[in-house]
Amino acid sequence: MNRSRYIPFERNRYFYGKLLTVRDFMSEQTYFSDKRRLTNRLLFGTGVITGLQVVAVDDKSVSIEAGAALDQLGREIIVPSPVTVKLSNIDGFTNHDYAKNVYLTLSYDEAGKEPVHTVTGTFGTNEEVSEHNRILESYKLAIRETPPAPASLEFDALIEDTSVWYDDGQVRILQTAPRYVEPGEWFELKLTIEKTLQTPHISFEYEPDVQFIDFEDGLVDGKLLFSEPSDGSQAVYFKKVKMRALSREELEEQAGYVASAVKNGKQLQLAFIGVKSGTARLVIGDRLIYELSQVKQRIEIAETTAYNRIMEAFHSRSLDRAIESPAEPCIYVAKINLLQMGASYVIDSVQSLPFDDYVVNPSLLRKLQSKEISIPSSVHAVYEAAAAGQGVQQLAETSDKLPTIEEFPPIEEEFKTLFSYEQSEEVERYTATGIAEISIVPELVKKWYQKRQKNFFSAEIEHGLGTESPVYITASLSDEHELTDAPVPDMFQRSNTIYSGAESQRIFAGSEFASSYPLITTAVVQFPTKGSFRIGVGVHKKTERTRIMVRWWAMKIQAEDNNAAMSAEVLEEGWSNAAAAASRQG
C-alpha cells in the first residue's frame, strides 16, 4: 500500500513445479502487512495506543516512555524501552533561535541488520557483496518547529473548523467554530493564542461580521478583544465567546432575501463568521502586525443533529481521502517550550500529546457501555445516545430524566447533625504565610547600551489580614520541597530550608547548609489600604534558573494593645538588630 492510493491486493498462488523467486517471497510478506496496515488505518485511526509520555529530565533533555502507536499509514511504531535524549542531538533541532515552541515527533523507521555474504556477487567480480539478513522495524525521533496545519487533523476537521489568524513561529492565533449546529442552538467561538514565554505582551482585536448568528456575550463595544495579563506567564491563552444560531422562525423571516441551500434532500442554512475590513489589529510588544489572514468560517444550520451530520461526513469520505497521509507520517508526542538563556536554552515545560492523538480500544468502549456500575449513569446515557444517533442538544433536553449522582454532604453539615450547639464564629486571624514563585527570566536587551535586568517582582499578593490594623511583612529565600511528582534535576534538588536575613547566603556559604540558589536579596513593598504587597528579588550572579521561591510572613498588630502604634517599629528594629549582630559575628 503506498501513501495515498489504494492498490488492489494480490496474493501468491502456489502450484507444483512453480519457480519461487525473491519477488514471490516479498509479495507474500507485503500482502499481509499491507492488509493489516489498511485495517489499522481505517478502523483504528492514528495516534498513541499506550505509553509514550514525555517528561523533562533536566534543562536540555527529555525522556520518552516505552509505548506503542499507529501512524497515518497504519504502521505500528513500538518504543520497547524508555529513552532519554538531549534535544540538540535530535534531528531537526536548530541552534539559531531558542526562544520558541518546538514539537517532538515519533515516526516509523526500519533498517537492515545482520549483513551476510551473498553468493550472487562471487561470480564475474572480484568484490565481495553482502546483503542484510534481517529488517529491523524501529522508530525515529525528530524535532519540528511548526505544528501540523489544522486541516491535516482529519477527525478534528470533521467536527470543527479551525482557521489560523497569524503564525510566525513565536506567536500563533487560531479561531475555532463548530461545523454543524441546530437552529437556536448555543455554541462557543474559541480563540486560542499560543506564544513563547519570552514573547512580549500580546493584544488582539477585531470586529466580527456574522450572518445568521447572534452574539450573547464576550464582545466589548462590538469587538472581540484579547489582551494578555500584565503578569502573564502562560504559553497558551483561550478566549471564548458565546454565540447562538438563529432560530427556525428567525431564519424563515430572512428567507425573503437569502435562499436556503438543500443538501441530500435536507434544508440547511449556511451561516458565516468573518471580520469587518480594517478592524483586525494584532500588537506584539511595540509592533503592530498587519499581515493577518482573512478568516471566514462557515457553519451549517440544519434540523439534523450535529452527531448525525458528523457521522454522515465521516462515512461519505472517498477511499483516497480516508487513506491519504502527509509526506512524512509521524505522531506529535510532545510540545516543548524553550527559554533562551544567554547563548543556550533551557526547557521550561513539556506537554505530552498536544493534539490528543490517541487510539481507543473498542473493547474498552464496550466495557464502558456494559459496566454500568463502573461509571455514572449519566455518562452511560451519553454512550446510549451516541449509539442511537441522538445529539448532544437532544440529550441535554432530556437530562432531567437521567438519574443523578448524589454528592457527599460537606463535613460541616455532618457535624451539625451530630451536635445540637451552634458553631462559634470564625476566629480572627493575626498571622498569614505563603510561598511566592517569581520568574527571573530577563527581558530581551534591545540596545547594546541597555543593562541586563537584575531585579524581578512578584504579582500583587493579598495577605488576608484586613486593612484596619498595621501589618508587618517579611520575606525569606525558600528552598522548600515542591509538591510535585515531576522529576527534578540534581542541580535543582531542594534542601527543604529557608534562608532568613540579608547575609544568610554568605554566612552559610561553603558549609553543609549552603544554598543552591545564586546570591539573591529580597525586598517587600506594601499597600496598606489594599491589604496587599509585592515581593522583589535582586539576582547578583548568573544562573540557569528561571524561578525563585520566596516564603513570606504577615503579622497583624492587635489594636487593643496600648503600644500598638509602636509595635511594628519595635518589631522591625529587633529584626534589624539581630541581622546586624549576625553580620558582625560573620
Side-chain angles (χ1 to χ4, degrees), residues 97-229:
D97 180 18
Y98 295 115
K100 57 191 173 184
N101 297 324
V102 297
Y103 298 86
L104 179 64
T105 65
L106 178 73
S107 57
Y108 175 85
D109 192 28
E110 59 182 34
K113 63 177 297 187
E114 294 184 14
V116 296
H117 182 71
T118 172
V119 296
T120 58
T122 60
F123 183 78
T125 179
N126 294 327
E127 298 180 0
E128 291 189 1
V129 179
S130 63
E131 292 285 352
H132 290 102
N133 194 39
R134 292 286 187 271
I135 295 178
L136 176 65
E137 295 185 348
S138 183
Y139 64 91
K140 180 171 60 176
L141 296 173
I143 292 292
R144 295 192 179 185
E145 298 189 356
T146 57
S152 66
L153 303 175
E154 179 186 6
F155 298 121
D156 289 351
L158 283 174
I159 301 171
E160 56 192 15
D161 178 17
T162 299
S163 301
V164 180
W165 274 102
Y166 180 76
D167 186 1
D168 66 354
Q170 303 285 328
V171 176
R172 189 167 79 135
I173 301 179
L174 308 175
Q175 181 171 291
T176 303
R179 290 196 177 275
Y180 311 103
V181 297
E182 298 179 49
E185 181 181 351
W186 295 98
F187 63 92
E188 285 185 337
L189 179 71
K190 183 173 71 173
L191 205 64
T192 305
I193 297 90
E194 301 175 355
K195 62 183 286 289
T196 65
L197 292 180
Q198 291 176 314
T199 300
H201 180 272
I202 294 178
S203 63
F204 175 67
E205 66 177 47
Y206 75 93
E207 188 173 346
D209 183 15
V210 298
Q211 189 176 35
F212 306 122
I213 292 174
D214 282 340
F215 282 92
E216 173 64 14
D217 56 23
L219 297 185
V220 178
D221 296 330
K223 293 183 178 181
L224 194 155
L225 302 176
F226 167 80
S227 181
E228 184 180 6

Side-chain angles (χ1 to χ4, degrees), residues 166 168 280-284 286-292:
Y166 180 76
D168 66 354
R281 183 172 177 268
L282 171 62
V283 179
I284 303 177
D286 55 1
R287 294 189 301 129
L288 178 60
I289 309 297
Y290 295 98
E291 298 80 10
L292 301 178

Side-chain angles (χ1 to χ4, degrees), residues 448-579:
W448 64 269
Y449 53 80
Q450 289 180 332
K451 294 183 178 180
R452 184 177 179 86
Q453 182 181 2
K454 294 183 179 180
N455 298 326
F456 305 89
F457 311 101
S458 72
E460 191 168 336
I461 305 171
E462 293 186 1
H463 51 64
L465 301 182
T467 59
E468 292 79 9
S469 302
V471 175
Y472 182 78
I473 298 171
T474 184
S476 300
L477 191 63
S478 171
D479 204 26
E480 300 169 80
H481 289 308
E482 295 183 81
L483 300 177
T484 176
D485 295 328
V488 179
D490 292 338
M491 64 179 293
F492 290 165
Q493 289 288 352
R494 300 191 179 277
S495 58
N496 207 24
T497 53
I498 298 175
Y499 295 90
S500 301
E503 297 293 321
S504 60
Q505 285 184 279
R506 187 183 66 82
I507 292 173
F508 292 108
S511 71
E512 59 179 315
F513 311 109
S515 168
S516 62
Y517 278 122
L519 183 59
I520 289 174
T521 54
T522 61
V524 176
V525 57
Q526 187 175 358
F527 311 107
T529 59
K530 299 169 64 177
S532 61
F533 61 96
R534 288 180 184 265
I535 300 175
V537 297
V539 183
H540 304 288
K541 287 188 178 181
K542 293 183 178 180
T543 177
E544 291 188 354
R545 289 182 176 271
T546 60
R547 289 182 291 269
I548 295 295
M549 294 176 63
V550 177
R551 165 71 72 175
W552 59 267
W553 293 269
M555 289 159 281
K556 182 169 66 173
I557 310 302
Q558 299 185 30
E560 54 270 13
D561 190 342
N562 294 331
N563 298 322
M566 301 178 58
S567 296
E569 297 180 0
V570 172
L571 188 59
E572 184 175 0
E573 182 180 357
W575 264 323
S576 300
N577 293 338

Side-chain angles (χ1 to χ4, degrees), residues 316-515:
S316 62
R317 298 173 303 160
S318 67
L319 182 59
D320 284 343
R321 176 69 182 90
I323 65 175
E324 71 178 359
S325 72
E328 298 179 357
C330 66
I331 306 295
Y332 287 76
V333 291
K335 176 182 178 182
I336 305 172
N337 183 268
L338 301 180
L339 296 178
Q340 186 163 2
M341 286 295 173
S344 186
Y345 69 93
V346 295
I347 298 175
D348 178 75
S349 62
V350 176
Q351 178 188 357
S352 289
L353 294 172
F355 305 107
D356 291 329
D357 291 330
Y358 288 98
V359 174
V360 182
N361 191 314
S363 299
L364 173 62
L365 293 179
R366 177 57 185 167
K367 293 293 184 181
L368 290 174
Q369 287 183 326
S370 60
K371 301 293 183 181
E372 297 184 26
I373 193 173
S374 302
I375 57 177
S377 56
S378 58
V379 176
H380 184 70
V382 172
Y383 284 101
E384 291 181 346
Q390 186 180 28
V392 176
Q393 182 71 18
Q394 290 175 286
L395 182 63
E397 294 173 355
T398 59
S399 60
D400 57 336
K401 303 178 182 179
L402 298 176
T404 58
I405 304 299
E406 295 185 2
E407 297 182 356
F408 286 104
I411 191 66
E412 295 85 357
E413 298 297 329
E414 287 292 312
F415 276 102
K416 285 182 180 180
T417 61
L418 296 177
F419 301 99
S420 57
Y421 64 85
E422 295 184 359
Q423 296 181 347
S424 59
E425 296 182 359
E426 184 179 355
V427 179
E428 184 178 2
R429 295 174 57 199
Y430 291 94
T431 62
T433 185
I435 292 181
E437 281 198 13
I438 302 177
S439 172
I440 58 171
V441 178
E443 296 181 357
L444 296 178
V445 176
K446 298 181 180 180
K447 304 294 183 181
W448 64 269
Y449 53 80
Q450 289 180 332
K451 294 183 178 180
R452 184 177 179 86
Q453 182 181 2
K454 294 183 179 180
N455 298 326
F456 305 89
F457 311 101
S458 72
E460 191 168 336
I461 305 171
E462 293 186 1
H463 51 64
L465 301 182
T467 59
E468 292 79 9
S469 302
V471 175
Y472 182 78
I473 298 171
T474 184
S476 300
L477 191 63
S478 171
D479 204 26
E480 300 169 80
H481 289 308
E482 295 183 81
L483 300 177
T484 176
D485 295 328
V488 179
D490 292 338
M491 64 179 293
F492 290 165
Q493 289 288 352
R494 300 191 179 277
S495 58
N496 207 24
T497 53
I498 298 175
Y499 295 90
S500 301
E503 297 293 321
S504 60
Q505 285 184 279
R506 187 183 66 82
I507 292 173
F508 292 108
S511 71
E512 59 179 315
F513 311 109
S515 168

